[in-house]
């Protein structure tokens, strides 16, 4: 499997981020290998699919949006209280940290020690939301790799996503680091 061939590269990494556009056995194997190597693991469960119960134990962080959280937990997520219930269900399944992204409502962060609502960061008029989840997860992973705690990393991810939705497209909508740092400096 290609993951085994990349084992040394994974071991040199700060963060292993994956999503569900790959075959689930490959996703689980990648998470397992990275976790065994002591690399921070993030599962962005997009697109939303039912997952085997064994996958959650390999997730340091799981970052579903509202609809993905509902698919994974059976809990409809329409507000922060619903997101907390869904996060609790994900933690009970074995994930160590749950970050439920809530679009314009920001994100709910939960683990065994922390429960926090991180507001969305408004960067201007929303043009297109396609790719916002990818933007969030990329920013979140960068922040974790830099040693930020879960709340600060979530705020950073919200800033990246906040900028990305002000532009059309997906990869072309991703902001530069300077843009993200500037937005965070201007947002209390």
């Amino acid at each position: 499997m290609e993951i085994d061939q990349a084992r040394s590269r994974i071991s040199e990494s700060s963060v292993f981020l994956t999503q569900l556009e790959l075959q689930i056995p490959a996703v689980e194997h990648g998470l397992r290998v990275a976790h065994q190597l002591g690399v921070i693991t993030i599962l962005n469960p997009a697109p939303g699919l039912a997952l085997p119960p064994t996958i959650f134990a390999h997730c340091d962080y799981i970052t579903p949006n509202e609809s993905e959280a509902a698919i994974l937990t059976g809990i409809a997520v329409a507000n922060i209280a619903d997101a907390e219930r869904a996060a609790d269900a994900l933690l009970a399944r074995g994930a160590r940290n749950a970050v439920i992204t809530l679009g314009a409502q920001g994100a709910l962060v939960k683990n065994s020690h922390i429960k926090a609502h991180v507001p969305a960061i408004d960067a201007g008029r929303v043009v297109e939301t396609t790719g916002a989840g990818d933007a969030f997860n990329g920013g979140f992973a960068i922040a974790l790799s830099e040693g930020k705690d879960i709340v600060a990393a979530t705020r950073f991810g919200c800033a990246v996503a906040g900028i990305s939705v002000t532009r059309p497209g997906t990869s072309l909508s991703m902001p530069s680091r300077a843009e993200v740092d500037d937005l965070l400096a201007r947002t209390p």
Side-chain angles (χ1 to χ4, degrees), residues 69-132:
I71 290 167
L72 292 172
T73 66
I75 299 167
V77 177
N79 55 47
I80 294 167
D82 296 339
E84 183 177 358
R85 285 191 296 282
D88 287 338
L90 294 169
L91 296 174
R93 290 189 173 120
R96 278 163 289 298
N97 298 275
V99 180
I100 313 291
T101 61
L102 302 165
Q105 294 182 72
L108 184 281
V109 173
K110 186 104 190 253
N111 63 30
S112 62
H113 306 293
I114 296 169
K115 177 187 88 170
H117 172 241
V118 177
I121 297 179
D122 184 358
R125 185 177 70 81
V126 174
V127 172
E128 183 177 348
T129 60
T130 306

Side-chain angles (χ1 to χ4, degrees), residues 112-183:
S112 62
H113 306 293
I114 296 169
K115 177 187 88 170
H117 172 241
V118 177
I121 297 179
D122 184 358
R125 185 177 70 81
V126 174
V127 172
E128 183 177 348
T129 60
T130 306
D134 294 330
F136 172 86
N137 278 279
F140 182 70
I142 287 169
L144 288 175
S145 76
E146 294 174 349
K148 289 182 173 54
D149 66 48
I150 187 172
V151 173
T154 300
R155 187 169 186 270
F156 191 90
C158 285
V160 175
I163 295 169
S164 78
V165 300
T166 66
R167 304 169 179 169
T170 53
S171 60
L172 295 176
S173 72
M174 299 302 154
S176 69
R177 177 61 183 257
E179 291 173 301
V180 175
D181 289 341
D182 179 60
L183 178 60

Side-chain angles (χ1 to χ4, degrees), residues 18-59:
T18 190
Q19 40 69 28
L20 301 179
E21 291 179 10
L22 306 168
Q23 296 292 318
I24 291 175
V27 170
E28 184 168 10
H29 184 63
L31 288 165
R32 181 183 312 104
V33 167
H35 188 70
Q36 289 170 346
L37 293 170
V39 175
I40 295 168
T41 59
I42 304 170
L43 174 58
N44 172 16
L49 300 168
L51 294 174
T54 53
I55 202 166
F56 298 98
H58 309 300
C59 299

